Amino acid sequence: MPEIGFDLLLASALLWIAWRALTSPDVFKAVVLFITFGLLMALAWVRLGAPDIALAEAAIGGGITGALLLDAAGQLATTDAAPPRGRTLLAATLALLVALLLGAAVLQIPDAPARLGPAVSAALPESGVTQPVTAVLLNFRGYDTWLELGVLLLAVLALLALRGTSHLQDVRPLTADPLLGGLASVLVPLMVLAGGYLLWLGTHAAGGAFQAGAMLAGAGVLLRLAGHRTVEQASSRLLQVAIVCGFAAFLLTALILLASGYALLEYPAGRARTLIVLIETAAAVSIGCTLATLVTGATPPGAGAR
Amino acid sequence: MNAIDALTLVLLIAGSGFFFAGTVGILRFPDLFSRLHALTKADNLGLGCIVAGLMLQAQTPAAALKLFLIWLLALVASAGACYLIASDARRRQDPPAVPTEVSGDA
Amino acid sequence: MTVYLLLAVGLFALGLFALIAHPNLLRKVIALNVMGGAVFLMLAAIAAGDRQRSPDPVPHAMVLTGIVVAVSVTAFALALVRRLHAETGSACLPEADEQ
């Protein structure tokens, strides 16, 4: 069976890359290896039949987290200390113990565990979309997505609090390469288009708000790195509205539905698709602006030139 | 296996070969600039072969066009990234391992 | 599916080892991300089942939510690390036996 061979190859590659990323002596190399790990994980998601997770992992896990870590690794001087001898031994024993216990527990999982798949498929026609993951995210478990947008909001607020200024725009002076500017002017419109396409795709295929948001975040980061004029000139108020609009869309919908006599986030029959599309668009814009702010606004102003 | 499948197989294997050669280049070349050279040239050619092989298998012309677009965008992105890395290294005065000036009596 | 379940266990253990062993906070953040990825892998592997039918979409939705939350936590953690570095000049937590 050739598929099991590929699975074993992928699994050993993932374990080896993770080991190298976690124990590499140079922090910069560790971060780059971690980005590679994220991309290999995207392959694992595809093998497990989860293309939307693969899209999100490649964009958010590999791209956004990688950019955050690279930025941090560049800013922090290499204050790397070797772990004390006893600590390494303790960590190794603990990790081995956890691995053995977890492995034994995992091997006892029944081959056909209790599944919600049939329940979701049965309720799918009423949900307004034909892709089950989008239906779960935006309709059946919309409450979780709402709170997750709240978590993103909290992260931006925490970032502002730690940075010590109340301005969202990063005030780092940038020496932008003209090639980067040209690249940005070609790629950013394409990325916005691709983000819109992913958003529309989410109703009937793998895609949706998170993937579209990640694409928009990439466009935002590229604009910022290219030192494009629009980013400086965009008002702080507009950025604040964009960051909040996802959470606000859910809140408004919930309040209006409650006031009309429905349960919390219970979409009325026939209106579900419209509501889902509206909320998803607001969520994608929100996720894009939030992630872009988290990546580009991370450095306190005046903390070292590049 | 008809002709189109055979051609796809040949193109996929050729693409993997180019990727392998590029990886060997990254691991074995002495300095940053030659490694960038191996990375962008060999990997983009390998990606082109793989995309060409997959385009033959595409169900609709639109899907084939999207695959071609992926290759174009990867070209643009990797060329831009290669230039940025090289210019940054140049700025930091990383001397190339092989002299870039051609001597008069070469 | 068993391959991916065991892979998830292995990645989780590796991440746990790096989390405890390294004093550098940036490496701890990387280790936390690896552990998070391992948990998501386990969820998706359970959702895939025996590959006879299409995978369960509810754990997939949970993993998508989890990925976004993980990136928010990473951004916050890195902001904390930067602030610590700006205040104390080091990106490692002070050891218990130092003053």
Side-chain angles (χ1 to χ4, degrees):
Chain A
M1 204 120 327
E3 296 183 355
I4 191 91
F6 181 73
D7 285 340
L8 284 172
L9 193 64
L10 188 60
S12 35
L14 271 170
L15 280 171
W16 190 65
I17 283 258
W19 173 248
R20 295 287 297 130
L22 292 169
T23 60
S24 163
D26 183 18
V27 174
F28 177 72
K29 272 197 202 133
V31 171
V32 171
L33 282 167
F34 174 73
I35 298 178
T36 321
F37 170 78
L39 291 179
L40 279 178
M41 283 279 275
L43 271 182
W45 298 126
V46 172
R47 281 297 295 150
L48 287 172
D52 17 26
I53 306 185
L55 282 171
E57 169 79 42
I60 300 181
I64 305 280
T65 314
L68 281 169
L69 285 170
L70 274 177
D71 203 10
Q75 293 279 318
L76 309 171
T78 49
T79 60
D80 213 2
R85 201 74 220 179
R87 180 103 71 84
T88 318
L89 215 55
L90 170 70
T93 359
L94 200 59
L96 199 61
L97 205 61
V98 164
L100 288 171
L101 287 173
L102 261 182
V106 138
L107 285 172
Q108 288 172 8
I109 293 180
D111 275 335
R115 305 168 64 90
L116 285 170
V120 170
S121 310
L124 199 56
E126 312 160 355
S127 68
V129 294
T130 48
Q131 156 79 339
V133 177
T134 310
V136 171
L137 271 175
L138 284 231
N139 192 339
F140 304 143
R141 304 291 316 173
Y143 187 61
D144 294 340
T145 312
W146 183 16
L147 292 179
E148 169 206 349
L149 291 171
V151 168
L152 274 175
L153 202 56
L154 274 177
V156 173
L157 288 174
L159 191 81
L160 285 177
L162 284 167
R163 244 178 44 158
T165 84
S166 56
H167 290 297
L168 277 174
Q169 259 93 342
D170 185 41
V171 293
R172 261 185 299 178
L174 278 181
T175 55
D177 202 294
L179 183 86
L180 196 50
L183 210 64
S185 47
V186 166
L187 285 179
V188 166
L190 278 174
M191 286 167 98
V192 171
L193 187 65
Y197 175 64
L198 279 171
L199 187 60
W200 168 78
L201 208 58
T203 53
H204 59 274
F210 299 123
Q211 292 84 351
M215 181 77 71
L216 291 175
V221 170
L222 188 55
L223 269 181
R224 188 71 195 98
L225 286 178
H228 216 253
R229 288 276 86 199
T230 47
V231 177
E232 270 94 32
Q233 285 166 357
S235 78
S236 187
R237 189 67 57 187
L238 189 62
L239 193 56
Q240 285 170 357
V241 165
I243 290 182
V244 166
C245 72
F247 188 82
F250 262 112
L251 183 63
L252 276 174
T253 314
L255 287 176
I256 294 178
L257 285 172
L258 276 177
S260 317
Y262 292 93
L264 182 68
L265 284 181
E266 175 194 352
Y267 301 146
R271 300 288 183 86
R273 190 187 178 91
T274 326
L275 280 172
I276 287 182
V277 169
L278 283 173
I279 294 181
E280 240 191 338
T281 315
V285 170
S286 192
I287 293 174
C289 294
T290 309
L291 289 177
T293 311
L294 285 176
V295 172
T296 60
T299 308
R306 291 287 190 83
Chain B
M1 187 187 291
N2 57 5
I4 297 215
D5 283 346
L7 193 56
T8 301
L9 196 62
V10 164
L11 281 169
L12 285 176
I13 294 181
S16 322
F18 281 117
F19 268 113
F20 186 72
T23 312
V24 168
I26 295 177
L27 292 172
R28 301 287 295 167
F29 276 160
D31 79 297
L32 178 74
F33 296 99
S34 36
R35 274 185 239 142
L36 276 178
H37 201 82
L39 175 64
T40 45
K41 289 221 166 54
D43 279 9
N44 281 327
L45 194 52
L47 186 63
C49 287
I50 292 185
V51 162
L54 288 177
M55 272 169 73
L56 288 172
Q57 297 283 322
Q59 306 292 345
T60 66
L65 199 61
K66 281 182 210 162
L67 283 170
F68 185 67
L69 251 165
I70 292 178
W71 183 56
L72 278 183
L73 287 171
L75 271 182
V76 169
S78 76
C82 165
Y83 164 77
L84 288 168
I85 296 177
S87 76
D88 184 65
R90 198 59 154 172
R91 199 167 44 83
R92 286 171 206 262
Q93 306 297 323
D94 271 351
V98 185
T100 52
E101 312 296 335
V102 178
S103 58
D105 53 329
Chain C
M1 173 176 113
T2 324
V3 175
Y4 289 103
L5 283 172
L6 292 174
L7 169 67
V9 170
L11 286 174
F12 191 80
L14 277 177
L16 186 64
F17 167 71
L19 181 66
I20 300 179
H22 288 299
N24 189 352
L25 284 173
L26 195 59
R27 288 184 194 274
K28 285 196 204 273
V29 170
I30 297 180
L32 272 177
N33 272 302
V34 170
M35 286 167 77
V39 172
F40 300 149
L41 203 55
M42 191 178 294
L43 270 176
I46 296 178
D50 46 1
R51 307 256 184 95
Q52 296 301 336
R53 56 207 139 192
S54 54
D56 195 350
V58 176
H60 288 185
M62 284 197 246
V63 168
L64 270 176
T65 310
I67 290 181
V68 177
V69 169
V71 77
S72 318
V73 167
T74 303
F76 181 34
L78 287 174
L80 281 172
V81 171
R82 274 182 223 263
R83 196 53 193 267
L84 180 71
H85 180 79
E87 303 281 322
T88 66
S90 138
C92 305
L93 287 175
E95 294 296 316
D97 44 23
E98 293 170 5
Q99 247 33 29

